[in-house]
Amino acid sequence: MFKKFANSPVIIALVLTLVLLLWLGSGDNYAAKDDVPAEQQQPQPTLALVEARWSEATPYQLMQVAQGQILPWRNVSIKAQQAGKVTELLTRQGDSVQQGASLLRLSDEGRTELLAQAEANLTLKKQELASARSLDRSQFLSKTELTRLESELARAEAEYARARLALQQTEPVAPFAGIIDRRHVEVGDVVQVGTPLLDLVQIDKLKVTAQIPQQHIARLQQGQQVNLRLLDGRQLTGQLSFISYAADTATRSFYIEVTVANPELLRIAGGSATVEVTLQPLPVHLVSPALLSLNTDGQLGVAVVNPQQQVEFYPVTIVSADNQGARVSGLPARALIITQGAGFVKAGDKVQVAEAKL
């Protein structure tokens, strides 16, 4: 019966009419969708919120510590300048000598006679030349003969000077006032030219050498006071007397010399000492190590907020670090340092700033 009812023309007509009405009604909806919607207000982007605190730079006195070498002010090895036998020792090890004092004697080896011969020959050549010049005024001597006699006189003068020097060198003298630190020969020893005879040192004044890293050399000044600590705990004071103008190519450090007075003639030359150089004060900021970060170039630095409320990254150098924090240089004298949120912003970003809680 239901099947017969479903095939009725009346029912079919009603269904089609209902479908048509529904389709006509949906046309309004599609037409509405074709209309341009009204322009909507775009939401304003919100600025990142960071916490920051003001930091003032304070002077920091940095001490540069280096290991130094203590050297005599002057140190020379006196060597034989003539061959011969040691005939007399005029000084002993440990003796203080004045400049020009004779130290020992070598055998004469005929040098006195050679000097006398050279002196006589020189006298003869002088007389011959004087006579020749008298003849030259009378025009009885040629210019060539006069030149020959002048040449012979010059040769005689050179021979005399060599003979006199050779005799003098048989008795070596002290080139400066100092102490005989070592003696290498005894009476009877035969020496050749270049044989070490004595070591002479000057230790009433000492020289301490050290190497200073290149980043600190600009804050050194010649003449400034330097403290020295010896291995036994004794302390000395010196004066920075020299700073090299070029760094060592291997270590990139600069050579310095410190002059130290040693009136008591302490036996410390040749040893080592800890050199403490006080550098000029440097303005630094005390920050937590957690605030240090690396930029895209791998530089260590600190993020701050500038007056335009923008983030800036300042490369810094760690001057020192302890339980209080890290002291860094490279920031402005007064800086608004980001303490929270630096990891969520980058240089150039504009931010909102909230005062950091202490």
Side-chain angles (χ1 to χ4, degrees):
M1 183 178 179
F2 174 78
K3 191 173 182 181
K4 182 180 178 180
F5 179 78
N7 293 331
S8 172
V10 176
I11 298 301
I12 294 173
L14 290 174
V15 172
L16 291 176
T17 301
L18 181 60
V19 171
L20 180 60
L21 291 174
L22 292 174
W23 179 80
L24 292 174
S26 64
D28 293 338
N29 293 333
Y30 285 122
K33 290 182 179 179
D34 292 337
D35 295 339
V36 178
E39 184 177 354
Q40 297 181 357
Q41 188 71 25
Q42 294 294 330
Q44 293 293 331
T46 58
L47 300 179
L49 179 64
V50 297
E51 287 188 2
R53 68 171 178 84
W54 285 104
S55 176
E56 301 279 350
T58 57
Y60 182 70
Q61 191 72 64
L62 185 63
M63 182 78 69
Q64 175 63 46
V65 180
Q67 197 64 23
Q69 181 75 21
I70 306 174
L71 302 174
W73 184 249
R74 285 190 284 191
N75 181 14
V76 64
S77 176
I78 298 174
K79 299 179 180 180
Q81 294 178 285
Q82 296 293 329
K85 181 186 293 185
V86 179
T87 59
E88 187 177 1
L89 297 173
L90 304 177
T91 58
R92 297 175 299 174
Q93 289 185 153
D95 283 355
S96 295
V97 296
Q98 296 300 316
Q99 182 177 4
S102 297
L103 304 175
L104 55 79
R105 290 194 181 98
L106 299 178
S107 56
D108 188 275
E109 305 293 335
R111 294 181 181 89
T112 300
E113 291 75 9
L114 290 175
L115 177 60
Q117 181 183 356
E119 186 176 10
N121 186 48
L122 177 60
T123 301
L124 174 62
K125 296 303 178 182
K126 285 181 178 179
Q127 291 174 352
E128 288 179 347
L129 181 60
S131 299
R133 284 173 175 167
S134 298
L135 291 175
D136 182 51
R137 285 194 292 269
S138 302
Q139 298 181 351
F140 289 110
L141 187 70
S142 66
K143 295 294 183 181
T144 303
E145 183 66 16
L146 182 61
T147 302
R148 183 185 64 79
L149 291 174
E150 289 175 343
S151 175
E152 289 181 355
L153 175 60
R155 186 182 304 111
E157 289 175 338
E159 290 175 353
Y160 173 75
R162 283 196 297 270
R164 186 176 60 180
L165 180 62
L167 185 60
Q168 290 175 346
Q169 289 174 339
T170 61
E171 193 170 303
V173 297
F176 54 82
I179 297 174
I180 304 299
D181 193 51
R182 290 291 304 277
R183 191 183 70 218
H184 302 290
V185 294
E186 295 291 345
V187 173
D189 286 346
V190 176
V191 300
Q192 302 298 324
V193 175
T195 301
L197 303 174
L198 302 159
D199 290 342
L200 180 67
V201 297
Q202 180 183 351
I203 62 167
D204 59 343
K205 189 163 59 172
L206 299 171
K207 177 170 55 180
V208 181
T209 64
Q211 298 284 338
I212 299 297
Q214 60 181 343
Q215 62 265 32
H216 298 315
I217 202 68
R219 296 202 298 279
L220 296 184
Q221 289 184 343
Q222 286 190 217
Q224 73 178 89
Q225 181 175 306
V226 177
N227 297 322
L228 304 170
R229 286 189 290 109
L230 306 181
L231 294 180
D232 59 6
R234 288 180 293 178
Q235 295 192 11
L236 299 175
T237 300
Q239 193 175 60
L240 184 60
S241 53
F242 177 74
I243 306 171
S244 64
Y245 287 88
D248 186 288
T249 55
T251 62
R252 305 299 179 188
S253 58
F254 285 78
Y255 170 85
I256 66 168
E257 288 183 1
V258 179
T259 301
V260 183
N262 184 30
E264 298 178 2
L265 304 182
L266 300 176
R267 290 178 170 86
I268 57 177
S272 60
T274 300
V275 180
E276 298 176 342
V277 184
T278 302
L279 303 179
Q280 291 180 351
L282 182 69
V284 300
H285 290 262
L286 181 63
V287 301
S288 168
L291 303 183
L292 301 174
S293 60
L294 298 175
N295 64 4
T296 54
D297 296 328
Q299 293 178 304
L300 185 69
V302 175
V304 304
V305 180
N306 64 19
Q308 290 75 37
Q309 298 296 101
Q310 290 178 316
V311 177
E312 283 192 51
F313 183 88
Y314 280 89
V316 298
T317 300
I318 298 177
V319 177
S320 69
D322 52 29
N323 294 334
Q324 295 179 333
R327 293 173 179 85
V328 300
S329 63
L331 292 174
R334 189 168 188 264
L336 185 57
I337 299 176
I338 299 176
T339 57
Q340 291 288 338
F344 301 100
V345 294
K346 62 183 184 298
D349 288 352
K350 197 163 187 177
V351 295
Q352 297 183 67
V353 179
E355 185 176 351
K357 298 177 181 179
L358 299 179

